[in-house]
Amino acid sequence: MSPKFVLLWTDATTWALILCMVVYAVAVARSPNLKASWRKVFRDAPALCSSLILGLCVLLTAADSIHYRNALPPVPGTPRGVVAYDTVTRSGLDWLLSSLIESREDTYSRPLDYLSYRRDTASINGQLQRISPRLKHGGAHLSDPDHQWAADLASRVGTGLVLGLALAVACALALFGLLARTRRAGFLETAASVWRKEGDIPWRAGLWTLVVMATLVGVTVSLMGAYHVFGTDTTGNDVLYQSLKCIRTAFVIGSLSTIATLPLAVVLGIMAGYFRGWVDEVIQYFYTVLSSVPNILLIAACVLMVQVFLDKHPDMFETGVERADVKLALLCAVLGLTGWASLCRLLRAETMKLRELDYVQAANAFGVSATRIMVRHVFPNVAHLMLIVTVLDFSSLILYEAVLSYVGVGVDPSMNSFGGMLNLARKEMSLDPMVWWSFFAAFGFMVTVVLSVNLFADGVRDAFDPRARAFRPRLPVTRKPAAQARNQG
């Protein structure tokens, strides 16, 4: 029977944002000015490389934003046409990683190990000894793990490298073909120019990033079917699965919280800068008071109020996933409504400068209404600041979520998040012997995501900010013939 699809709040907003990104990409392709600005972004090698990593994260977020509940088998005596569904809500990413979900162990296990981390007491030859039992799933295919484990790991790593390199080569060939068609040049000539780093976009750096990503994905996919790549936690759940699930939480927090800041920041900032006078003073007083309250304390108080409301109304939700999703959506709203002051202040200053320009003064002299002037003349000229601040604040909001979840006032404990993993890893790091892999997995994934966002944000700022450094096109490298070089020498 077909499953029942569940549309969560954050699913709807995530797919709406993806649709907006597609529409904006079409608008960029049709606008020469926007296309030139975004071309400047990708002329920066770190921004180009980080965009590939962020693209993979967006794909994981999209797959994890399709939720459904499986239909249960019919029970004798059930009326005809009545279908009961499982209380567990799964996602598209859960379907792709079903092998990791089903490979649950009893407790901790080291990365790529076939033995449990904890020792059990067993009777061997009439004597009680403390031994590490075999895992249920990790390395279960090995009949003699003491002699087969190293060779099996090497074989799977080699297979993963071959698959990853094959994927990277296929992507490189597709890129060369697309560039050759765009430039109207030969395939080999285009490949040689990319390798020599000719042109204004550093395709060679992007290809090396793609090779690294493809090999890592290939090796991970090859290993995760037989081993726990990053080990398991105290309940035996796979740490790699938890880390991948945290990516959606981080992107939802960063994107939805940023969107929530825009209405208040844009409207109040432009109004304060354009009208000035008592309107400016009231708005300044409002965001000055808001800025004087410590953000962490204000956010924690709002989140605790949300938690109390959800605890008093448990009948509003059919499953625990829906309850956790509502809490996540409200957390995004709280982060947005408490973090708009800095963007509002920036837009106010820019609007005060724009209202004195000639075309704004001319529109005012012709009797154009203030609302129309702000919408048609002021707003388009501050849009680049909104884009820059939005991208720059994205990583800060991800770190906010990690801090809030670390202190226990972030997302629901049933939802995977980097802060929740770090909070649990804090206790595991104090064990003897130390359980280190959960902390390093969460920390590594979070740093990768945040660093990629920051590098991409630097490229966006340099391209869209008029005060940023000027981009100069990279001139093609012309190589002299060997005979001419010898004559000149």
Side-chain angles (χ1 to χ4, degrees):
M1 300 180 67
S2 60
K4 175 184 178 182
F5 286 95
V6 179
L7 184 62
L8 304 177
W9 285 21
T10 55
D11 291 345
T13 51
T14 299
W15 284 105
L17 287 175
I18 293 176
L19 180 61
C20 291
M21 290 171 59
V22 173
V23 173
Y24 181 71
V26 174
V28 170
R30 295 179 177 179
S31 173
N33 293 331
L34 288 176
K35 185 186 295 185
S37 298
W38 279 104
R39 193 174 182 86
K40 292 178 183 178
V41 175
F42 295 112
R43 282 159 67 177
D44 185 25
L48 175 64
C49 298
S50 61
S51 65
L52 297 176
I53 301 175
L54 294 178
L56 179 60
C57 293
V58 170
L59 290 178
L60 293 174
T61 302
D64 205 14
S65 297
I66 304 174
H67 288 88
Y68 63 92
R69 294 165 60 187
N70 287 321
L72 297 176
V75 179
T78 304
R80 196 172 203 178
V82 177
V83 181
Y85 294 94
D86 193 359
T87 58
V88 178
T89 304
R90 300 185 181 276
S91 68
L93 185 62
D94 294 336
W95 179 76
L96 293 174
L97 304 177
S98 57
S99 60
L100 297 182
I101 300 176
E102 297 170 357
S103 63
R104 182 175 178 178
E105 307 291 348
D106 292 331
T107 184
Y108 294 113
S109 65
R110 293 184 181 90
L112 301 176
D113 205 350
Y114 57 89
L115 297 175
S116 176
Y117 188 65
R118 289 184 176 175
R119 295 177 180 269
D120 293 338
T121 302
S123 177
I124 301 178
N125 297 327
Q127 296 181 352
L128 295 178
Q129 297 183 9
R130 299 282 292 174
I131 62 171
S132 297
R134 286 285 302 273
L135 297 176
K136 295 179 181 179
H137 302 278
H141 62 288
L142 302 176
S143 58
D144 186 10
D146 293 336
H147 298 89
Q148 299 174 345
W149 177 72
D152 185 65
L153 276 184
S155 174
R156 292 180 179 275
V157 169
T159 303
L161 287 175
V162 171
L163 293 176
L165 290 176
L167 177 62
V169 169
C171 295
L173 293 177
L175 175 63
F176 294 155
L178 182 62
L179 291 178
R181 182 178 179 181
T182 304
R183 299 176 181 178
R184 297 181 180 179
F187 183 86
L188 296 179
E189 180 184 354
T190 302
S193 66
V194 170
W195 180 255
R196 293 193 298 265
K197 298 191 291 186
E198 298 176 358
D200 55 348
I201 297 181
W203 294 113
R204 180 176 170 181
L207 287 177
W208 279 118
T209 304
L210 189 62
V211 168
V212 174
M213 291 172 56
T215 52
L216 289 177
V217 171
V219 171
T220 302
V221 171
S222 179
L223 288 172
M224 72 181 189
Y227 299 96
H228 299 287
V229 179
F230 291 134
T232 57
D233 61 2
T234 182
T235 57
N237 293 312
D238 192 270
V239 175
L240 173 62
Y241 168 76
Q242 298 178 40
S243 302
L244 293 176
K245 293 283 286 185
C246 292
I247 293 177
R248 177 186 182 271
T249 305
F251 268 70
V252 168
I253 288 284
S255 57
L256 299 191
S257 301
T258 304
I259 297 300
T261 62
L262 294 180
L264 280 176
V266 173
V267 173
L268 296 182
I270 294 179
M271 286 179 60
Y274 184 81
F275 290 113
R276 298 193 294 187
W278 67 269
V279 176
D280 184 23
E281 293 177 359
V282 170
I283 295 176
Q284 281 193 76
Y285 180 80
F286 187 34
Y287 68 64
T288 302
V289 172
L290 182 64
S291 301
S292 64
V293 181
N295 275 352
I296 294 295
L297 296 180
L298 182 61
I299 295 170
C302 296
V303 170
L304 290 176
M305 289 190 293
V306 170
Q307 182 67 42
V308 171
F309 173 79
L310 296 178
D311 291 340
K312 289 184 177 181
H313 300 81
D315 299 334
M316 295 176 58
F317 316 103
E318 294 184 8
T319 61
V321 172
E322 296 180 12
R323 179 182 183 276
D325 183 76
V326 170
K327 184 178 179 181
L328 176 62
L330 293 177
L331 175 62
C332 295
V334 169
L335 288 173
L337 295 177
T338 56
W340 56 271
S342 58
L343 178 58
C344 179
R345 187 182 294 111
L346 182 63
L347 295 179
R348 168 186 172 271
E350 187 70 14
T351 304
M352 292 180 68
K353 181 180 70 174
L354 292 174
R355 75 183 301 274
E356 303 299 333
L357 297 181
D358 293 340
Y359 64 91
V360 177
Q361 294 293 330
N364 194 16
F366 279 106
V368 180
S369 64
T371 303
R372 188 175 180 83
I373 291 176
M374 288 187 289
V375 172
R376 295 292 301 273
H377 299 292
V378 177
F379 177 77
N381 288 284
V382 298
H384 69 283
L385 295 177
M386 294 164 47
L387 178 62
I388 295 170
V389 174
T390 297
V391 178
L392 289 175
D393 287 347
F394 189 92
S395 59
S396 302
L397 291 167
I398 295 177
L399 297 177
Y400 255 124
E401 180 276 324
V403 173
L404 292 173
S405 298
Y406 182 79
V407 298
V409 293
V411 301
D412 194 84
S414 62
M415 180 173 288
N416 297 105
S417 67
F418 290 126
M421 288 187 67
L422 293 175
N423 187 27
L424 295 176
R426 173 174 56 90
K427 304 174 184 178
E428 297 172 347
M429 294 284 286
S430 61
L431 298 178
D432 188 21
M434 181 176 62
V435 179
W436 50 269
W437 46 88
S438 294
F439 173 81
F440 278 89
F443 184 78
F445 272 84
M446 185 177 68
V447 168
T448 301
V449 172
V450 173
L451 181 61
S452 301
V453 173
N454 286 338
L455 292 176
F456 186 73
D458 289 342
V460 172
R461 180 194 60 200
D462 293 338
F464 284 87
D465 192 350
R467 295 166 295 183
R469 60 185 177 87
F471 278 83
R472 290 184 297 230
R474 192 180 304 176
L475 298 177
V477 179
T478 56
R479 298 181 178 273
K480 298 179 180 180
Q484 183 180 353
R486 285 194 301 268
N487 294 334
Q488 291 181 357

Coordinates of all heavy atoms in Angstrom, one line a residue, residues 255-268 336 340 343 347 386-387 389-390:
S255 N 18.3 29.3 7.2 CA 17.6 29.9 6.1 C 16.3 30.5 6.7 O 16.0 31.7 6.4 CB 17.2 28.9 5.0 OG 16.5 27.8 5.6
L256 N 15.5 29.8 7.4 CA 14.2 30.3 7.9 C 14.4 31.5 8.9 O 13.6 32.4 8.9 CB 13.4 29.2 8.5 CG 13.0 28.0 7.6 CD1 12.0 27.2 8.3 CD2 12.5 28.5 6.3
S257 N 15.4 31.4 9.8 CA 15.6 32.5 10.7 C 16.1 33.7 10.0 O 15.7 34.8 10.3 CB 16.7 32.1 11.7 OG 16.3 30.9 12.4
T258 N 16.8 33.6 8.9 CA 17.3 34.7 8.1 C 16.0 35.3 7.4 O 15.9 36.6 7.4 CB 18.3 34.3 7.1 OG1 19.4 33.7 7.8 CG2 18.8 35.5 6.3
I259 N 15.2 34.5 6.9 CA 14.0 35.0 6.2 C 13.1 35.8 7.2 O 12.5 36.8 6.9 CB 13.2 33.9 5.5 CG1 14.1 33.2 4.4 CG2 11.9 34.4 5.0 CD1 14.4 34.2 3.3
A260 N 13.0 35.2 8.5 CA 12.2 35.9 9.5 C 12.7 37.3 9.9 O 11.9 38.1 10.3 CB 12.1 35.0 10.7
T261 N 14.0 37.5 9.7 CA 14.5 38.9 10.0 C 14.2 39.9 9.0 O 14.2 41.1 9.3 CB 16.0 38.8 10.2 OG1 16.6 38.4 8.9 CG2 16.4 37.8 11.3
L262 N 13.9 39.5 7.8 CA 13.8 40.5 6.7 C 12.6 41.4 6.8 O 12.7 42.6 6.6 CB 13.8 39.8 5.3 CG 15.1 39.0 5.0 CD1 14.9 38.4 3.6 CD2 16.3 40.0 5.0
P263 N 11.4 40.9 7.1 CA 10.2 41.9 7.1 C 10.4 43.1 8.0 O 10.3 44.2 7.6 CB 9.0 41.0 7.5 CG 9.4 39.6 7.1 CD 10.9 39.6 7.3
L264 N 10.7 42.8 9.3 CA 10.9 43.9 10.2 C 12.1 44.8 9.9 O 12.0 46.0 9.9 CB 11.0 43.4 11.6 CG 9.8 42.9 12.4 CD1 10.1 42.3 13.7 CD2 8.8 44.1 12.5
A265 N 13.2 44.1 9.5 CA 14.4 44.9 9.3 C 14.3 45.8 8.0 O 14.7 47.0 8.0 CB 15.6 43.9 9.1
V266 N 13.7 45.3 7.0 CA 13.6 46.0 5.7 C 12.5 47.2 5.9 O 12.8 48.3 5.6 CB 13.2 45.1 4.6 CG1 12.9 45.9 3.3 CG2 14.3 44.1 4.3
V267 N 11.4 46.8 6.4 CA 10.3 47.9 6.5 C 10.7 49.0 7.5 O 10.7 50.2 7.1 CB 9.0 47.2 6.9 CG1 7.9 48.3 7.2 CG2 8.5 46.2 5.9
L268 N 11.2 48.6 8.7 CA 11.5 49.6 9.7 C 12.8 50.4 9.3 O 12.9 51.6 9.5 CB 11.6 49.0 11.0 CG 10.4 48.3 11.6 CD1 10.6 47.8 13.0 CD2 9.2 49.3 11.7
G336 N 14.7 34.9 14.3 CA 14.5 36.0 13.4 C 14.0 37.3 14.0 O 14.5 38.4 13.7
W340 N 16.9 41.2 14.1 CA 16.8 42.1 13.0 C 17.4 43.4 13.2 O 17.4 44.2 12.2 CB 15.3 42.2 12.6 CG 14.5 42.8 13.8 CD1 13.9 42.0 14.8 CD2 14.2 44.1 14.1 NE1 13.2 42.9 15.7 CE2 13.5 44.2 15.3 CE3 14.6 45.3 13.5 CZ2 13.0 45.3 15.9 CZ3 14.2 46.5 14.1 CH2 13.4 46.5 15.3
L343 N 20.6 44.5 10.8 CA 20.2 44.8 9.4 C 19.4 46.1 9.3 O 19.5 46.9 8.4 CB 19.5 43.6 8.8 CG 19.0 43.8 7.4 CD1 20.2 44.0 6.4 CD2 18.3 42.5 6.9
L347 N 20.3 49.3 6.9 CA 19.4 49.8 5.9 C 19.0 51.2 6.2 O 18.7 52.0 5.3 CB 18.2 48.9 5.8 CG 18.4 47.5 5.3 CD1 17.1 46.7 5.3 CD2 19.0 47.5 4.0
M386 N 20.9 43.5 1.7 CA 20.1 42.4 2.3 C 20.7 41.1 1.9 O 20.8 40.2 2.8 CB 18.7 42.5 1.7 CG 17.9 43.7 2.2 SD 16.4 44.0 1.2 CE 15.7 42.3 1.1
L387 N 21.1 40.9 0.7 CA 21.7 39.7 0.2 C 23.0 39.4 1.0 O 23.3 38.3 1.5 CB 22.0 39.7 -1.3 CG 22.7 38.5 -1.9 CD1 21.8 37.3 -1.7 CD2 23.0 38.7 -3.4
V389 N 24.1 40.6 4.0 CA 23.9 40.4 5.4 C 23.2 39.0 5.6 O 23.5 38.3 6.5 CB 23.0 41.5 6.0 CG1 22.7 41.2 7.4 CG2 23.8 42.8 5.9
T390 N 22.3 38.6 4.7 CA 21.6 37.4 4.8 C 22.6 36.2 4.7 O 22.6 35.3 5.5 CB 20.6 37.2 3.7 OG1 19.6 38.2 3.8 CG2 19.9 35.9 3.7

